[in-house]
Every structure is written in C-alpha cells, then in structure tokens.
Amino acid sequence: MSSMPLQLHVDAQYTSPYAMSVFVTLREKDLPFALHTVDLDAAAHHDPAYAALSLTARVPTLQHGELALSESSAITEYLEEVFGGPPVYPAHLPSRARARQVQAWLRSDLLPIREERNTQVLFYGARKPPLSAQAAAAAQRLFRFAEALLPQGAEHLFGQWCIADTDLALMINRLALHGDPVPPRLAAYAKAQWQRPSVQEWVAMQRPPLTA
C-alpha cells in the first residue's frame, strides 16, 4: 500500500497550521505527493463531494489509495507508521508519547491565543489588538508548558527534531512574530524552528490577497 500515490488537500490560503504540519511531515519524510487546495473562504470544504471525502469537512485531508484521512495528527502518525524515511516522531517510546501529548494539547487548548493571534499573523503579517486577559493567561500557560519540556540549551524538545517541534514553534510564533512578549529562550527556539527548510517552503507559498 505504501507505493500508492499520496494526495494532500490543504486550504487555498495556506494558513492552516494543521495543513502545514502535514505538509512539513511529507517533506521531511521525502514523500512525493500531489497538492490540492480547498478554498475555505468560499466554503468549498462544505461541498458535498469534499465533505464526503474528508468526513469532517476540514483540511488537511490525505488520500492514500482508498483511504481518505483527516485530522492532522492522525495523518502524521499514519505517515510515520506506514512509510520509511526520516522519522518525524521520536524513536524513544516515552518521548514519542510526549510528542503526541504536545500535539494534542496544542490542538485542544489555548483557544484565546488561536483567536486573537490567528495565522494571518504568521503568514500575512497581520496586526491585532493587544491580548485580552484571557489570551495573556493562555500565553503564560503556553510558556510554562514549553519551558518545562524544552531542556536548557537544547535546539529540540527530544534531542532531535520531530513534528511536535514545528507545532509548538508555530504556537509560540503566533505571539513572537506579532511582537508580543515571549521569554527569550522560547523566542529563540521558535525562530530557529521556523527556519527549517520544510517550514520555510510553506511560509513562502503564494497566497491570495487577504480578505477583510
């Protein structure tokens, strides 16, 4: 089955952090794939054909043979289990479990940051009002979490790069790239992770003009 072609459906604006996570995984594993865009601004993800394919009517969705799989961490775990190539999760099982915890937490918590520093900040340089008290509190939770996991002087969470580093750096950069206060150690970590070639390829995507 691993020889079947891969197709990745992402948002036409290239701003989904979850689509980026899967894109980076595919690039890091050096897997060929066809890239298809779905215009979320035009509600194309609710088109019956796409919704039937995705099941969740969301991006990203990966097609591999007869399988169509949505939800980014499920996709990255699937790619790790099915394909060889450079790993995107730690080989050490407790570290792998922790990496998955990082991904799950970033997707389920910190909503005030995601709302007040949406990915227009990252990919369009958008400027937003100052953080609300709720978002500032969420930022402090993020900083405590990241500082507890990132060893002093380390470039990566678990000794070498994994996809959780990209996901965590993206969340930190929602704040750092906007100019919000971020602990220097975490800002340096996120800046370094952002320079990874697979990440920069996504950052450099040609995007349609930002709509009001």
Side-chain angles (χ1 to χ4, degrees), residues 112-118 120-121 125-136 139 174-175 177-181:
I113 298 176
R114 288 186 274 132
E115 288 182 335
E116 297 182 29
R117 296 293 181 265
N118 64 28
Q120 292 176 359
V121 168
R127 308 305 298 171
K128 304 290 182 180
L131 293 173
S132 67
Q134 293 85 351
R174 290 175 184 265
L175 302 164
L177 293 181
H178 190 267
D180 298 303

Side-chain angles (χ1 to χ4, degrees), residues 18 20 49 61 76 197:
Y18 313 118
M20 173 178 151
T61 292
T76 56

Side-chain angles (χ1 to χ4, degrees), residues 120-200:
Q120 292 176 359
V121 168
L122 297 169
F123 304 120
Y124 283 94
R127 308 305 298 171
K128 304 290 182 180
L131 293 173
S132 67
Q134 293 85 351
Q140 292 305 311
R141 292 203 308 277
L142 171 64
F143 300 154
R144 286 195 298 270
F145 180 92
E147 289 186 317
L149 280 183
L150 183 66
Q152 287 290 339
E155 295 180 1
H156 309 299
L157 292 172
F158 307 109
Q160 64 182 34
W161 177 87
C162 74
I163 192 59
D165 284 301
T166 295
D167 290 347
L168 180 58
L170 186 147
M171 185 62 76
I172 295 169
N173 272 335
R174 290 175 184 265
L175 302 164
L177 293 181
H178 190 267
D180 298 303
V182 174
R185 186 166 76 96
L186 298 184
Y189 160 79
K191 181 178 180 180
Q193 293 293 333
W194 210 242
Q195 297 310 307
R196 198 166 183 88
S198 57
V199 174
Q200 278 297 299

Side-chain angles (χ1 to χ4, degrees):
M1 185 173 179
S2 61
S3 63
M4 295 180 179
L6 293 164
Q7 300 182 66
L8 178 63
H9 300 261
V10 304
D11 60 305
Q13 297 74 26
Y14 300 110
T15 57
S16 165
Y18 313 118
M20 173 178 151
S21 186
V22 175
F23 179 91
V24 167
T25 294
L26 287 162
R27 284 291 190 247
E28 293 287 339
K29 296 187 78 65
D30 198 25
L31 295 172
F33 63 97
L35 188 65
H36 306 284
T37 57
V38 180
D39 190 348
L40 303 188
D41 287 348
H45 52 306
H46 293 305
D47 179 84
Y50 182 78
L53 175 74
S54 171
L55 293 184
T56 56
R58 290 163 64 160
V59 296
T61 292
L62 180 78
Q63 287 181 268
H64 184 214
E66 295 182 356
L67 175 68
L69 185 64
S70 59
E71 303 305 313
S72 59
S73 60
I75 296 170
T76 56
E77 290 178 25
Y78 174 77
L79 292 170
E80 182 80 329
E81 292 170 357
V82 171
F83 294 91
V88 297
Y89 285 95
H92 180 243
L93 291 179
S95 296
R96 188 184 306 177
R98 186 71 74 190
R100 288 170 168 166
Q101 178 190 3
V102 171
Q103 289 188 296
W105 184 69
L106 292 172
R107 288 157 171 74
S108 62
D109 201 348
L110 308 176
L111 180 61
I113 298 176
R114 288 186 274 132
E115 288 182 335
E116 297 182 29
R117 296 293 181 265
N118 64 28
T119 51
Q120 292 176 359
V121 168
L122 297 169
F123 304 120
Y124 283 94
R127 308 305 298 171
K128 304 290 182 180
L131 293 173
S132 67
Q134 293 85 351
Q140 292 305 311
R141 292 203 308 277
L142 171 64
F143 300 154
R144 286 195 298 270
F145 180 92
E147 289 186 317
L149 280 183
L150 183 66
Q152 287 290 339
E155 295 180 1
H156 309 299
L157 292 172
F158 307 109
Q160 64 182 34
W161 177 87
C162 74
I163 192 59
D165 284 301
T166 295
D167 290 347
L168 180 58
L170 186 147
M171 185 62 76
I172 295 169
N173 272 335
R174 290 175 184 265
L175 302 164
L177 293 181
H178 190 267
D180 298 303
V182 174
R185 186 166 76 96
L186 298 184
Y189 160 79
K191 181 178 180 180
Q193 293 293 333
W194 210 242
Q195 297 310 307
R196 198 166 183 88
S198 57
V199 174
Q200 278 297 299
E201 185 178 353
W202 180 267
V203 172
M205 289 289 193
Q206 293 297 310
R207 295 178 169 83
L210 186 63
T211 58

